[in-house]
Amino acid sequence: MAHDVYHARFVVVGGGIAGVTCAETLASECPEEKVLLITASNLVKAIKNYEQTSRVLETFDVEEQPWSQLEFKSGIQVLQATVSSLAAQEKVVYTSCGKHVHYDKLCICSGGVPKMVPGNHPLVVGIRDTESVKDFQNKLDHAERVIIIGNGGIATELVYEIEGCEVIWAIKDKSIASTFVDEGAAQFFLPHLNSEKQQAHQIVKRQKFSIDRCSALGPDWAAGQCMKGVKQETSHHVFVKYEVEVSMVMSPEELAKAGLSCQTPDLFRKGNNKEEWPVYVQLTNNCVYGSDLVVSATGVTPNTLPFLPGNNFEVAEDGGLKVNENMMTSVPDVYAAGDVCSASWQLADLWFQMRLWTQARQMGCQAARCMAADIRGTTAPLDICFDLFAHVTKFFNFKVVLIGLFKAQGLGNDYELLLRVTKGEEYIKVVLHEGRLVGAILIGETDMEETFENLALNRTDLTPFKDHLLEPGIDIDDFFD
């Protein structure tokens, strides 16, 4: 039927940050052209209150809104449907509801699929968006103990926010939060694992987030939410198991059948003598722990499944669609942005890809500019945000700024570190390579992020100043007046 066939100059698949940013940028760049956004959900995620706080660092809100609002505001046509397949040679996207969408230029922004621990147990929950957070909160209401699997941003935030519940945190690394910080910063955070939560005592500049309005989790996603179990007398009770992964998730019956026994961490022995738990986790060190709930927070894999069959996409080792600096895939007229893609151009020395919501916005915007330029017969330059990795987040109620090669990634042993630590207040680490600042971790209210960003972007030789760079009370800017 005719009404089941759509055509648009630009078609974007995905109602997340990358997809909506791409569609809105296309509508702004090419107001005369038809832009069609395909989303599986009746809600989409839009950027609000965007502010460039420096050359690379930025702040914004992410707002969940009905797609009809996006149509009204931006003039973007929205089709609520699930993509079933792509016929790239014919330039047609097929949906599960039988609709056919013809395009001139297509951008795939289908995001990522949460990695889940093995077992498919009903008490194992994955946390990726607001829907899964609400599911977790409902189950946490009745929990005495939770096992959290993973060591990234979501896991780290959860460990801090959960109260009234014992937490076993199982991580595959030697230190906590290692996706984002080094072992020194992890040591800085450790005293806060089992301490009383402190209220934020000052307003800080950072990316903003509201759980009631948004589905793309980022800094502050858990702040102010009810993350409490049934043990009202318990604030923080966290036990960390290092260098382990999950071997098996079992029911009480499966535990008995396997002839395994359950351990109780020494930290918890006085507080909980529960004999049987609804779910058990066996770790690779052969320890078995019982719990009311298991949280799988081990990252995502690119959601490429509907697009690969019958098409000649080049796929990266991490499973993402390979894209060049124009965000183009290996298939003509098909672009990709966000978690679904893998940056495969010659990357800048101080930039690398992490599947973060900030990079989803940046990639979606870059893809749109390149698509718009292509129909005009021109090219769009690569944005400066791809020159230097920069990210702001918040762990254990501390502002965290990551710049460049913040963990000396790829430098081997050819670097030197400058360090300043004030216990309970700040942690500042600078990575120098050949006398130049190539990375930094800033924890706390340091107010040094813009200066360090400029030093990295400008490749300033710090050899004459490095001994004074982190001295308290020194205004770094005075060195370069």
Side-chain angles (χ1 to χ4, degrees):
M1 295 176 62
H3 68 270
D4 285 332
V5 178
Y6 295 76
H7 185 277
R9 171 62 73 95
F10 300 116
V11 173
V12 180
V13 176
I17 295 175
V20 173
T21 299
C22 181
E24 288 187 322
T25 306
L26 282 168
S28 174
E29 293 266 334
C30 304
E32 72 286 355
E33 301 289 355
K34 184 176 178 179
V35 179
L36 174 67
L37 176 70
I38 303 175
T39 175
S41 171
N42 63 338
L43 299 172
V44 297
K45 292 82 181 174
I47 298 297
K48 293 287 188 180
N49 305 323
Y50 178 83
E51 182 183 357
Q52 191 89 32
T53 60
S54 66
R55 284 199 280 175
V56 176
L57 288 166
E58 57 190 26
T59 65
F60 54 83
D61 298 320
V62 183
E63 185 174 79
E64 188 173 68
Q65 57 183 226
W67 57 255
S68 56
Q69 189 174 334
L70 184 68
E71 276 194 327
F72 177 77
K73 180 189 70 173
S74 305
I76 298 166
Q77 185 176 350
V78 180
L79 171 63
Q80 186 179 341
T82 301
V83 171
S84 57
S85 63
L86 167 65
Q89 223 169 4
E90 290 80 30
K91 293 191 172 184
V92 181
V93 176
Y94 295 96
T95 70
S96 56
C97 57
K99 294 179 170 58
H100 302 172
V101 181
H102 297 256
Y103 64 85
D104 292 341
K105 303 284 183 187
L106 170 69
C107 190
I108 299 171
C109 304
S110 49
V113 179
K115 297 176 185 175
M116 296 295 290
V117 299
N120 196 31
H121 194 285
L123 290 176
V124 176
V125 298
I127 292 190
R128 176 64 180 169
D129 51 27
T130 52
E131 292 79 8
S132 57
V133 169
K134 290 171 184 174
D135 178 45
F136 167 73
Q137 287 174 307
N138 290 335
K139 291 176 177 175
L140 182 64
D141 282 345
H142 311 288
E144 295 179 52
R145 183 186 294 170
V146 173
I147 298 175
I148 297 177
I149 312 295
N151 201 18
I154 289 176
T156 304
E157 292 243 12
L158 269 181
V159 166
Y160 178 70
E161 292 294 339
I162 290 175
E163 296 180 279
C165 188
E166 297 172 352
V167 175
I168 297 175
W169 190 8
I171 63 177
K172 65 180 180 179
D173 311 291
K174 295 181 180 179
S175 60
I176 64 170
S178 67
T179 303
F180 290 91
V181 299
D182 61 358
E183 291 185 24
Q187 288 295 319
F188 175 85
F189 286 136
L190 274 180
H192 302 276
L193 269 182
N194 285 296
S195 63
E196 293 290 324
K197 281 173 59 177
Q198 300 297 315
Q199 296 299 316
H201 52 81
Q202 49 187 309
I203 298 172
V204 299
K205 272 189 178 182
R206 60 177 178 267
Q207 286 89 340
K208 304 169 187 175
F209 179 83
S210 169
I211 193 77
D212 295 328
R213 300 176 293 145
C214 169
S215 202
L217 300 183
D220 296 343
W221 70 271
Q225 302 308 307
C226 182
M227 296 283 182
K228 290 190 177 182
V230 297
K231 302 176 71 173
Q232 298 302 319
E233 74 281 1
T234 302
S235 178
H236 277 77
H237 218 173
V238 181
F239 174 71
V240 185
K241 289 298 293 183
Y242 295 96
E243 298 183 85
V244 294
E245 295 185 65
V246 175
S247 292
M248 194 183 310
V249 179
M250 296 169 286
S251 66
E253 296 75 22
E254 290 168 328
L255 180 78
K257 187 176 180 180
L260 297 172
S261 59
C262 174
Q263 288 85 36
T264 299
D266 289 338
L267 186 67
F268 300 159
R269 288 191 190 280
K270 293 180 181 179
N272 203 326
N273 297 313
K274 193 170 178 178
E275 291 186 5
E276 185 174 290
W277 297 92
V279 61
Y280 293 87
V281 172
Q282 182 182 36
L283 302 175
T284 48
N285 63 356
N286 291 323
C287 288
V288 178
Y289 296 106
S291 179
D292 292 301
L293 189 60
V294 179
V295 178
S296 181
T298 54
V300 299
T301 56
N303 182 23
T304 60
L305 189 61
F307 308 100
L308 297 182
N311 300 306
N312 295 315
F313 286 105
E314 290 185 17
V315 179
E317 288 184 8
D318 63 9
L321 302 176
K322 284 188 174 182
V323 292
N324 63 17
E325 65 274 13
N326 296 314
M327 307 308 294
M328 294 178 64
T329 70
S330 55
V331 174
D333 297 315
V334 179
Y335 299 70
D339 287 358
V340 74
C341 78
S342 297
S344 301
W345 64 87
Q346 184 63 46
L347 304 182
D349 293 340
L350 304 184
W351 187 88
F352 56 93
Q353 183 178 6
M354 286 183 73
R355 286 181 164 84
L356 302 166
W357 56 287
T358 46
Q359 289 193 356
R361 189 208 69 80
Q362 293 162 352
M363 287 181 166
C365 188
Q366 181 69 20
R369 288 171 179 163
C370 292
M371 293 165 75
D374 193 53
I375 66 167
R376 301 185 188 114
T378 61
T379 57
L382 196 60
D383 192 90
I384 191 175
C385 67
F386 297 100
D387 286 345
L388 178 69
F389 178 90
H391 185 61
V392 185
T393 187
K394 188 182 180 188
F395 294 142
F396 302 100
N397 209 32
F398 287 93
K399 178 182 178 182
V400 179
V401 180
L402 308 174
I403 294 173
L405 309 178
F406 56 90
K407 292 206 294 183
Q409 296 94 325
L411 295 179
N413 295 318
D414 186 21
Y415 63 90
E416 59 180 312
L417 301 179
L418 305 178
L419 191 63
R420 186 175 98 198
V421 183
T422 305
K423 187 177 179 180
E425 291 187 22
E426 64 177 13
Y427 176 94
I428 303 171
K429 186 188 80 171
V430 170
V431 183
L432 299 179
H433 175 63
E434 297 180 349
R436 289 167 169 79
L437 190 152
V438 296
I441 296 176
L442 306 172
I443 300 174
E445 293 304 307
T446 68
D447 293 324
M448 301 173 83
E449 52 263 37
E450 187 171 359
T451 297
F452 284 177
E453 175 195 290
N454 288 331
L455 293 176
L457 284 170
N458 298 337
R459 304 292 199 269
T460 306
D461 185 358
L462 297 174
T463 304
F465 319 108
K466 65 181 182 181
D467 292 339
H468 306 286
L469 195 63
L470 297 186
E471 283 186 12
I474 296 293
D475 189 343
I476 300 174
D477 294 332
D478 289 344
F479 290 128
F480 309 104
D481 285 345

